[in-house]
Amino acid sequence: MDLASNASLREVHQWSRHFLERHGHDPASSQHLLQWLLDMTLTDWVFRLNQPLSSDELAWVHQGLKRLVEDEPIQYIVGYGEFMGDRFKVTPSTLIPREETSGLIQIAQELLSCEQSLTILDIGTGSGILAIQLARTFKQAQVTALDISIDALEVAKENAEQYGCQIHFLESDLCQELDPHSKFDLIVSNPPYISLAEKGEMDASVRQYEPPSALYADQHGLYYYYQLAEQLPKHIQDTSLILLEIGYHQGPAVQAIFQDALAGRRVSIRQDWNGLDRYVIIEGVGSLEDKS
């Protein structure tokens, strides 16, 4: 089935279903993918269903679907991902946002007052989603975001500018380039935590397109947690709160790492909405409630 030059959206949808099925992809995803490629809401879709697409739109759909069946993520094709209902620029230098990561924001909101004047550190910021959403949530906060990738930091800066957030971005391998005397009230991180042994279990789109340095870690995926446990003590106060995203099977191991490194602090595991271990919470020995 060929794609006619004056094809309506309905006809393109039909063509797309056949194209996806012919290349071993789920034809039922056609509407979702076309809405992404054409930046259409459901209302747009219904309104335009019987209208012809422009030649540029048809060319873009054809090109986009060819890239999709080669396992390129739709977010890299269109240039943005969605996180907590907002759009953020993404490139192959940054991970694609996952909604599970929003749990770190929700826990911070639960444990801290949005009116507090906090110092916040985001380690391994990538596209900047955590730093930006925290800056938007805690409007009086001073936010610092670190990443080892210059390219990722450039993307994060663009995203921060888009949302009008003043964030201090710093190229750093974890905390190595931080002022050794700097301390933070809230530290968040979603570090690489997939073990190299699990690489073959990842989707082809992840293996082929997302940055390996942001995904995989030595020591059964625990390397960066050991590093953070070693580096963070100099950057925390008695009242500091640390929130980490983890792999679903890493909860007890990461909990033990920080119980050993930060004796006297409460270290707990929190599940995501799928009931899987996803976050480790390290609470201070004091309270931030009186901080203004």
Side-chain angles (χ1 to χ4, degrees):
M1 177 182 178
D2 293 327
L3 191 57
S5 60
N6 61 344
S8 68
L9 178 58
R10 185 187 300 276
E11 291 168 327
V12 171
H13 179 33
Q14 183 180 5
W15 173 87
S16 170
R17 288 178 59 88
H18 286 291
F19 182 87
L20 290 168
E21 187 171 28
R22 193 163 67 248
H23 288 85
H25 287 249
D26 182 7
S29 65
S30 172
Q31 179 177 337
H32 172 70
L33 295 173
L34 288 175
Q35 284 185 241
W36 268 85
L37 288 170
L38 296 168
D39 197 15
M40 286 185 177
T41 65
L42 182 58
T43 300
D44 296 332
W45 176 271
V46 173
F47 182 74
R48 295 195 61 188
L49 198 55
N50 294 309
Q51 296 181 358
L53 298 187
S54 70
S55 58
D56 286 345
E57 287 175 323
L58 290 171
W60 173 237
V61 165
H62 194 262
Q63 177 192 7
L65 288 177
K66 284 179 66 177
R67 292 165 67 180
L68 279 163
V69 297
E70 292 174 354
D71 295 317
E72 186 172 355
I74 185 70
Q75 292 90 343
Y76 289 158
I77 295 172
V78 300
Y80 69 87
E82 295 185 349
F83 182 69
M84 298 183 71
D86 294 314
R87 288 186 178 185
F88 293 88
K89 178 179 179 178
V90 295
T91 74
S93 297
T94 66
L95 283 184
I96 295 167
R98 270 74 169 179
E99 281 302 320
E100 289 88 347
T101 303
S102 66
L104 295 174
I105 307 290
Q106 293 161 359
I107 295 169
Q109 291 175 310
E110 172 189 326
L111 298 178
L112 301 170
S113 167
C114 295
E115 304 305 317
Q116 291 173 280
S117 299
L118 304 173
T119 52
I120 299 176
L121 177 65
D122 176 20
I123 303 171
T125 195
S127 59
I129 56 172
L130 282 175
I132 292 165
Q133 295 294 49
L134 286 168
R136 297 172 75 193
T137 299
F138 299 95
K139 297 186 184 300
Q140 299 183 57
Q142 297 178 16
V143 182
T144 299
L146 313 176
D147 205 284
I148 195 172
S149 168
I150 296 176
D151 292 337
L153 286 172
E154 289 303 315
V155 173
K157 288 175 184 177
E158 287 188 46
N159 284 326
E161 183 176 351
Q162 174 186 345
Y163 287 104
C165 296
Q166 299 296 317
I167 295 170
H168 175 52
F169 291 101
L170 179 65
E171 181 188 355
S172 180
D173 184 358
L174 298 181
C175 301
Q176 289 183 8
E177 302 304 319
L178 273 179
D179 179 336
H181 302 294
S182 61
K183 297 186 183 296
F184 298 89
D185 299 311
L186 170 63
I187 298 174
V188 299
S189 185
N190 177 20
Y193 57 70
I194 301 170
S195 73
L196 296 175
E198 296 174 296
K199 188 173 182 178
E201 301 173 18
M202 308 305 294
D203 290 343
S205 61
V206 175
R207 293 197 310 270
Q208 294 178 36
Y209 291 96
E210 295 200 60
S213 62
L215 290 167
Y216 306 109
D218 290 330
Q219 295 178 264
H220 306 288
L222 298 174
Y223 173 80
Y224 291 101
Y225 300 110
Y226 282 112
Q227 292 297 306
L228 288 171
E230 180 180 323
Q231 295 179 27
L232 289 184
K234 69 174 69 171
H235 297 294
I236 58 176
Q237 308 167 91
D238 287 346
T239 55
S240 298
L241 174 66
I242 303 169
L243 305 177
L244 306 172
E245 184 169 333
I246 61 171
Y248 69 91
H249 58 289
Q250 295 174 325
V254 176
Q255 184 179 38
I257 289 170
F258 284 92
Q259 284 174 332
D260 289 343
L262 301 173
R265 292 176 184 255
R266 181 170 181 264
V267 183
S268 58
I269 302 168
R270 180 78 63 89
Q271 285 74 41
D272 61 22
W273 52 81
N274 292 314
L276 301 174
D277 287 354
R278 187 62 59 192
Y279 319 103
V280 164
I281 305 169
I282 303 142
E283 297 179 68
V285 295
S287 173
L288 276 167
E289 290 180 358
D290 298 328
K291 186 175 175 65
S292 59

